[in-house]
Amino acid sequence: MINRKLKIIVVIFLGIVGVILVMNQQHVVKNNNIKEEKRGSNDTDSLRYQTTYRGKTYQKSAPVYLPEDYHSSNKKYNVLILMHGWSMTDEDFTAGRADDKAPIIADLMKNEKTPFIVVTPTYYPNRSFVTNSWDDDRPLNERFSKVEVTEVLKAIKAKYRVYDSRDHYAFAGFSMGSVTTWDVLENQLDKFRYFQMMASGYDGDMVALRQRLQQSDLSFDATISAGSNDSTIYGARDSARSLQEFKNVRLFTDRGGEHNLPSAMRQLKYGMTYFFK
């Protein structure tokens, strides 16, 4: 009788231990999931500003990557404004995408000797402007380059320890964000010195753009890039060839790269080596 009771007690004890271990494992998995969902959150801030489009005012915010030593130093920082592509969001470069295992900005900055602030706004007034056609983005790209980018710059300079000179500002973009970057080169050369156009060529009047750049006394640096398996490589090559007379314009081909975020981040990693030099 005593042995039977002892066996029952042992079984109950082992059962309790098993339940505790399972609950603990579930807790660990849950915490790991939370950590993955918040990837990059320790490095990011939020920039708030407002803009008016077609008579309506929009309250907007943009994710901001801050270097690890930003809050522990008093120094000023260089700034990159990084623009997403069609249907993408302003968080894709700072938090990543569920369907893309691409490195995020925080990953690219790990080995950067002089890390800089990265602001990732959106040219969409809000998500209702995302349509099934990337052609619908084109007017928004141009508008951002002429109007909203100056509002973003004003907000950056008001909130962060940054420089005022164009020598400390870069603009880069992927796909339709690259189209936006070409527009910024055309319309805001007095505010940015460094550019990277990822996965697009220039879709405007190249003769007029060349004349404008030739007549300007402002120097600039531009990396034009695309994946070798991305159809945009042809436009990128043509545009780079058209601007080859300018000293600091180069073409970079991401070997095996396609029209996606992993390739864009590899291209950006290359382009970063020319920023703020």
Side-chain angles (χ1 to χ4, degrees):
M1 180 66 71
I2 294 176
N3 287 339
R4 183 180 179 185
K5 288 183 178 180
L6 182 60
K7 289 180 179 179
I8 293 173
I9 292 172
V10 170
V11 170
I12 293 174
F13 174 76
L14 292 175
I16 292 173
V17 171
V19 170
I20 292 173
L21 289 174
V22 171
M23 291 178 65
N24 184 63
Q25 182 63 29
Q26 290 176 341
H27 178 70
V28 170
V29 171
K30 183 178 180 182
N31 283 343
N32 284 341
N33 288 339
I34 290 174
K35 183 178 181 180
E36 180 64 24
E37 290 172 0
K38 292 184 177 180
R39 183 184 180 202
S41 62
N42 292 336
D43 309 298
T44 56
D45 193 27
S46 182
L47 179 72
R48 299 185 181 278
Y49 66 98
Q50 69 177 32
T51 189
T52 301
Y53 179 61
R54 293 182 176 176
K56 182 177 180 180
T57 298
Y58 294 87
Q59 304 297 327
K60 300 186 66 174
S61 63
V64 180
Y65 166 83
L66 294 175
E68 290 183 0
D69 64 348
Y70 179 83
H71 294 293
S72 61
S73 72
N74 294 316
K75 63 183 180 182
K76 291 184 178 181
Y77 291 82
N78 298 315
V79 178
L80 165 66
I81 296 181
L82 179 59
M83 183 60 71
H84 64 79
W86 169 70
S87 80
M88 293 174 65
T89 76
D90 53 5
E91 295 184 337
D92 289 339
F93 292 112
T94 55
R97 301 185 69 171
D99 59 345
D100 260 325
K101 301 303 179 183
I104 58 175
I105 287 297
D107 298 328
L108 298 191
M109 287 292 179
K110 286 179 181 177
N111 298 318
E112 187 70 19
K113 292 182 179 179
T114 309
F116 42 87
I117 292 173
V118 183
V119 184
T120 63
T122 175
Y123 52 75
Y124 295 121
N126 61 35
R127 294 300 292 177
S128 70
F129 285 82
V130 180
T131 70
N132 292 326
S133 174
W134 55 265
D135 284 329
D136 293 332
D137 285 11
R138 190 64 189 92
L140 298 175
N141 304 144
E142 185 175 7
R143 178 200 168 269
F144 186 94
S145 76
K146 291 181 176 180
V147 178
E148 194 167 337
V149 68
T150 61
E151 298 166 339
V152 173
L153 282 172
K154 181 178 179 180
I156 291 171
K157 293 178 180 181
K159 184 173 183 179
Y160 301 109
R161 293 193 313 277
V162 296
Y163 298 95
D164 192 50
S165 167
R166 66 183 288 271
D167 293 338
H168 299 275
Y169 289 85
F171 199 105
F174 168 65
S175 193
M176 294 306 284
S178 177
V179 173
T180 309
T181 307
W182 282 107
D183 288 343
V184 173
L185 172 65
E186 181 177 357
N187 298 313
Q188 305 291 351
L189 189 58
D190 62 326
K191 297 179 179 64
F192 297 89
R193 180 171 180 173
Y194 302 93
F195 301 87
Q196 185 173 6
M197 299 76 165
M198 298 178 284
S200 90
Y202 181 61
D203 67 352
D205 185 339
M206 180 58 80
V207 173
L209 176 62
R210 287 176 58 200
Q211 290 178 344
R212 180 174 296 191
L213 295 174
Q214 290 168 347
Q215 293 170 1
S216 174
D217 58 356
L218 298 173
S219 60
F220 70 97
D221 186 286
T223 299
I224 303 168
S225 62
S228 62
N229 295 336
D230 181 353
S231 61
T232 64
I233 186 63
Y234 303 107
R237 286 173 179 168
D238 289 342
S239 296
R241 192 176 297 114
S242 296
L243 297 177
Q244 63 183 353
E245 66 186 272
F246 297 97
K247 180 180 178 181
N248 296 317
V249 174
R250 67 198 63 84
L251 174 70
F252 171 69
T253 302
D254 176 36
R255 297 299 177 187
E258 300 179 355
H259 196 82
N260 56 25
L261 193 55
S263 179
M265 298 309 280
R266 291 192 295 270
Q267 294 171 49
L268 181 60
K269 183 64 175 178
Y270 173 85
M272 282 169 53
T273 62
Y274 292 93
F275 291 163
F276 317 121
K277 298 299 188 286

